[in-house]
Amino acid sequence: MASSPKLNAKIPEGVLENKWTKYRSTVHLVNPANKRSLEVIVVGSGLAGASAAASLAEMGYKVKVLCFQDSPRRAHSIAAQGGINAAKNYQNDGDSIYRLFYDTIKGGDYRAREANVHRLAEVSGNIIDQCVAQGVPFAREYGGTLSNRSFGGTQVQRTFYAAGQTGQQLLLGAYSALQRQVGMGAVQLLARHEMMDIVKIDGKCRGIIARDLVTGKLERHFGHAVLLCTGGYGNVFYLSTNAMGSNVTAIWKAHKKGAFFGNPCYTQIHPTCIPVSGDHQSKLTLMSESLRNDGRIWVPKKQGDTRKPTEIPEEERDYYLERRYPAFGNLVPRDVASRAAKERCDAGYGVGASKMAVYLDFAANTERYGKIQATKLNLHNPSKEEIMRLGKEVVKEKYGNLFDMYKQITGEDPYELPMRIYPAVHYTMGGLWVDYNLMTTVEGLYALGEANFSDHGANRLGASALMQGLADGYFVIPYTIGEYLSEEIRTKAIPTDHEAFVKAEAEVQERISKLMNIKGTKSVDHFHKRLGKIMWDKCGMARNKEGLNWAIAEIRKLKEEFWKDVRVPGEANELNPELEKAHRVADFIELGELMCIDALDRNESCGGHFREEYQTEEGEALRDDEKYAYVAAWEFKNEGSFELHKEELKYENIKIAARSYK
């Protein structure tokens, strides 16, 4: 299989271990004087956006940052709980750059690009050093060294964390770096602004059209390069662990202007979320994967068991992950753990009122911690109550905010009763296709973090999202953007009254007017919920040919109905959250169609893409490496029409094998 001639990954030559080092030593540079005349627009101010903007401004570029929140501190990166991976081998348990690289490729079910993943593993250690220097309060051992904990898909402890709020602390570090540049005048920060479209001139991205969300005014912004750091599109399912504002609009607009969309069907389902409680919900709440890896997951051995979990004796509990995957146990990757939970619930072993949940139990872990503490305190023959009390104090220190959050939402005390969890949409491995430089198929347009497809294959390992976002922003784009901008130093700033800007703004205004003038009978949320149900039922944890064909037809009907009967109250030239949602849901509907088309085209199961027709006798994902070892890069042709381009995935440093965690 040869890669499409329209795709050039620009992977450096040479042995894998030396590619990034050699690249950095030979890549074209921009001298400091020239950087001052080059303008870069960064859309999104989460970990990828804030770190990229701060780094590029520090280097001397003129940077403009847009975020649709009132502050970059509200970016969805703040919601990440469990930690960030790095191959530092602090635990002396056999970790290495190669092992992190291998775990990531294997965890992604051999559907990621080797060169990008190895680069990620290489710079992972630098990220920790950078964040410590910024003052990020990572957890530490008694002696002062940084602490690590376990995460799914690995057999080593490489995850650095700050209690259950790692994302928040890392974001505050990046935000501080960003605000330093704002204070120095090197960065212009535009809060409450949303990108509505990109502007292309002679095939290159030269800026964007943005909407001031407070006044409703459309604005034109020029940039020699544009970086999209806008996160993932999990809210296409309506219910997800994403923030309510997370959306696909920026990368979808770029896609419709020529940026290929990579692997849209690869969606990660997180196994440890608080179960759905009713139709009233608008989002789901994540319980950190660190809990799964420190607690034990089980269901009753008896179908339909209605007893309280504390009344079910040990011998009548099925610790199904430990039973099915003895080598990894509760540390299997997220896609494996999610499907296993679904299988148990579908078979009638689910718990709770809905029977669509499993138990996450901390009793054994609390007792183990308590015994260790008792030994430290030189307590001889402590009672069970004393042991549990001491253990609870340790658990509270490590996970207290997560336990408090669970109790607040469910009304149950997780220190006394096991948590009830069930899988939910969490992360999207798909995104804009990018080359080794993180540039899309549109020259001058880059995608960083979850907005691109590049590092996780068909399934993301836990604690790798924060790693990729900061790697792209702090340590990759500062080098790779020079390769492009070194050729742009003769390009003067293009006035925003250029016809391309005028035309792009007119197209955005026309779309706004069209939405406002429909004056239908149904709310934006009505359509979003219907789309989410179609996507979850037919393109969620499991997919099949019949269901996907049905979903595509239903989404097309939904799109037609949306543009005839949606009701957007208020006015366009004012603060109007319903208009914001209408734009985003319109894009979600189009994206949902492409996701189902991609899932239908990929006749195999891999990672988070589970086609029911392609599974082993044990119910595991069954890949087809001869036909499908490629990145699916979709080109937008016209409404409802997409052309598939393939980037062949070559594995020269890892032997492709059946993914086993037994």
Side-chain angles (χ1 to χ4, degrees):
M1 179 201 312
S3 295
S4 165
K6 288 191 175 183
L7 299 174
N8 180 3
K10 298 181 180 177
I11 299 170
E13 295 182 355
V15 297
L16 185 67
E17 294 82 358
N18 296 335
K19 287 182 187 294
W20 180 233
T21 301
K22 184 177 180 181
Y23 177 97
R24 287 180 297 159
S25 301
T26 57
V27 68
H28 293 158
L29 301 175
V30 180
N31 84 46
N34 286 332
K35 285 174 184 169
R36 291 193 288 271
S37 62
L38 291 170
E39 302 180 40
V40 179
I41 295 174
V42 179
V43 184
S45 57
L47 285 181
S51 59
S55 300
L56 294 176
E58 185 76 39
M59 295 169 71
Y61 294 107
K62 295 170 63 176
V63 179
K64 187 179 291 183
V65 178
L66 287 81
C67 70
F68 64 71
Q69 298 94 347
D70 59 349
S71 167
R73 290 175 296 173
R74 295 190 188 274
H76 183 56
S77 301
I78 202 172
Q81 300 167 343
I84 176 171
N85 289 331
K88 280 188 169 288
N89 195 31
Y90 280 179
Q91 303 297 317
N92 195 30
D93 53 3
D95 200 10
S96 64
I97 288 174
Y98 180 85
R99 193 174 292 277
L100 174 54
F101 158 70
Y102 175 81
D103 286 344
T104 305
I105 292 285
K106 178 184 176 184
D109 220 351
Y110 304 95
R111 291 293 179 264
R113 190 190 286 156
E114 271 195 344
N116 287 63
V117 177
H118 197 276
R119 175 175 66 188
L120 178 65
E122 285 182 70
V123 305
S124 65
N126 297 342
I127 298 171
I128 304 303
D129 297 339
Q130 168 89 2
C131 294
V132 168
Q134 289 175 336
V136 173
F138 285 120
R140 294 180 181 268
E141 301 294 348
Y142 179 77
T145 56
L146 296 182
S147 182
N148 290 122
R149 58 188 177 201
S150 302
F151 254 65
T154 73
Q155 291 177 304
V156 297
Q157 295 185 74
R158 65 162 68 100
T159 303
F160 296 78
Y161 63 97
Q165 51 183 251
T166 313
Q168 178 179 6
Q169 298 302 331
L170 291 173
L171 184 62
L172 288 174
Y175 171 73
S176 299
L178 173 63
Q179 286 300 115
R180 176 175 181 269
Q181 298 302 322
V182 172
M184 295 172 63
V187 170
Q188 181 184 0
L189 177 61
L190 299 174
R192 302 298 285 145
H193 280 67
E194 184 161 25
M195 189 196 103
M196 306 303 293
D197 210 345
I198 66 167
V199 178
K200 286 173 63 177
I201 299 175
D202 297 329
K204 294 183 178 182
C205 183
R206 292 302 192 190
I208 64 171
I209 304 299
R211 180 171 180 266
D212 183 325
L213 298 180
V214 177
T215 66
K217 180 183 177 183
L218 295 181
E219 300 177 358
R220 309 167 190 173
H221 299 278
F222 164 78
H224 289 88
V226 174
L227 278 54
L228 301 184
C229 310
T230 50
Y233 48 86
N235 280 347
V236 68
F237 292 88
Y238 186 67
L239 286 179
S240 80
T241 65
N242 289 187
M244 293 290 288
S246 296
N247 65 84
V248 75
T249 290
I251 63 174
W252 190 253
K253 297 306 186 191
H255 172 57
K256 295 181 79 170
K257 285 289 181 72
F260 291 6
F261 209 113
N263 298 331
C265 80
Y266 286 165
T267 305
Q268 177 168 87
I269 313 296
H270 198 296
T272 57
C273 298
I274 297 178
V276 176
S277 60
D279 293 337
H280 63 283
Q281 280 185 272
S282 55
K283 78 175 301 294
L284 297 173
T285 302
L286 173 69
M287 288 288 101
S288 170
E289 179 161 299
S290 58
L291 299 178
R292 168 166 73 98
N293 302 330
D294 218 353
R296 299 181 74 190
I297 292 176
W298 62 277
V299 293
K301 288 184 178 179
K302 176 185 173 183
Q303 288 181 325
D305 198 325
T306 58
R307 290 177 290 175
K308 292 181 180 179
T310 51
E311 295 174 354
I312 301 176
E314 190 73 16
E315 62 272 14
E316 295 182 33
R317 301 179 179 187
D318 178 16
Y319 295 93
Y320 58 89
L321 290 178
E322 298 170 35
R323 169 174 56 82
R324 291 180 60 177
Y325 310 101
F328 280 73
N330 295 301
L331 291 169
V332 292
R334 291 175 175 177
D335 62 315
V336 176
S338 294
R339 283 194 295 273
K342 181 179 186 296
E343 184 276 328
R344 287 290 81 191
C345 291
D346 290 349
Y349 297 94
V351 302
S354 67
K355 299 300 180 185
M356 295 302 288
V358 299
Y359 287 128
L360 173 54
D361 198 335
F362 260 73
N365 201 46
T366 302
E367 184 175 358
R368 178 170 63 85
Y369 283 135
K371 288 179 178 178
I372 294 172
Q373 286 298 101
T375 301
K376 288 181 180 179
L377 296 172
N378 201 27
L379 297 178
H380 301 290
N381 301 316
S383 65
K384 178 71 175 290
E385 291 74 16
E386 183 69 8
I387 288 173
M388 297 304 286
R389 184 187 66 78
L390 292 170
K392 180 178 176 180
E393 291 177 0
V394 177
V395 171
K396 192 169 186 176
E397 183 180 347
K398 292 167 74 76
Y399 308 109
N401 62 314
L402 300 175
F403 277 56
D404 293 343
M405 184 166 62
Y406 181 88
K407 183 177 181 179
Q408 189 173 27
I409 291 171
T410 66
E412 298 177 0
D413 186 352
Y415 291 108
E416 305 298 331
L417 293 172
M419 292 182 181
R420 286 176 291 109
I421 58 168
Y422 192 71
V425 171
H426 180 56
Y427 187 93
T428 49
M429 282 77 66
L432 293 185
W433 183 92
V434 293
D435 61 19
Y436 190 74
N437 296 332
L438 305 185
M439 188 189 286
T440 69
T441 48
V442 174
E443 282 193 82
L445 180 67
Y446 295 79
L448 282 65
E450 195 177 354
N452 73 35
F453 87 100
S454 68
D455 290 0
H456 308 297
N459 172 66
R460 179 176 68 79
L461 292 185
S464 288
L466 305 182
M467 175 174 62
Q468 186 206 349
L470 291 180
D472 286 355
Y474 281 138
F475 299 107
V476 178
I477 199 67
Y479 288 99
T480 62
I481 200 170
E483 180 74 13
Y484 174 73
L485 291 180
S486 64
E487 301 295 325
E488 295 296 316
I489 57 176
R490 296 174 185 82
T491 302
K492 303 298 182 184
I494 298 173
T496 55
D497 58 0
H498 187 283
E499 61 179 350
F501 280 92
V502 175
K503 181 182 178 183
E505 182 182 328
E507 290 173 352
V508 173
Q509 185 60 60
E510 181 183 359
R511 182 180 172 92
I512 292 173
S513 299
K514 185 177 180 181
L515 282 169
M516 296 302 302
N517 291 328
I518 295 171
K519 301 187 185 303
T521 63
K522 296 182 176 67
S523 70
V524 176
D525 282 337
H526 167 85
F527 290 99
H528 198 177
K529 285 182 179 180
R530 284 172 58 188
L531 173 66
K533 181 168 175 53
I534 294 169
M535 294 299 296
W536 178 249
D537 289 347
K538 305 302 180 183
C539 197
M541 261 197 283
R543 304 101 184 259
N544 59 57
K545 182 178 180 180
E546 181 182 358
L548 289 166
N549 277 317
W550 179 87
I552 292 168
E554 286 298 304
I555 291 171
R556 287 172 178 167
K557 291 179 190 175
L558 186 69
K559 179 181 178 181
E560 185 177 349
E561 185 180 342
F562 175 90
W563 285 102
K564 287 181 179 179
D565 200 26
V566 72
R567 174 174 51 84
V568 182
E571 302 295 332
N573 297 321
E574 65 180 10
L575 178 64
N576 190 340
E578 288 301 307
L579 178 58
E580 295 172 34
K581 286 197 292 186
H583 283 292
R584 297 166 187 170
V585 172
D587 294 331
F588 276 141
I589 292 172
E590 295 179 5
L591 166 70
E593 181 182 358
L594 178 58
M595 290 174 68
C596 292
I597 290 171
D598 187 38
L600 182 63
D601 186 77
R602 188 171 283 276
N603 293 316
E604 66 163 354
S605 290
C606 56
H609 168 65
F610 191 76
R611 283 283 296 271
E612 293 174 339
E613 306 95 321
Y614 308 100
Q615 55 182 298
T616 66
E617 292 181 1
E618 296 81 20
E620 305 292 350
L622 183 63
R623 296 194 322 268
D624 184 344
D625 296 321
E626 288 190 16
K627 296 180 180 178
Y628 294 97
Y630 62 75
V631 176
W634 293 90
E635 179 183 7
F636 178 83
K637 305 301 286 186
N638 50 59
E639 295 299 327
S641 177
F642 308 89
E643 181 181 347
L644 174 63
H645 301 272
K646 301 176 182 179
E647 179 199 341
E648 181 184 3
L649 291 170
K650 298 179 181 179
Y651 293 97
E652 300 170 347
N653 299 272
I654 282 181
K655 180 181 179 182
I656 296 183
R659 194 170 59 140
S660 174
Y661 293 93
K662 297 180 179 181

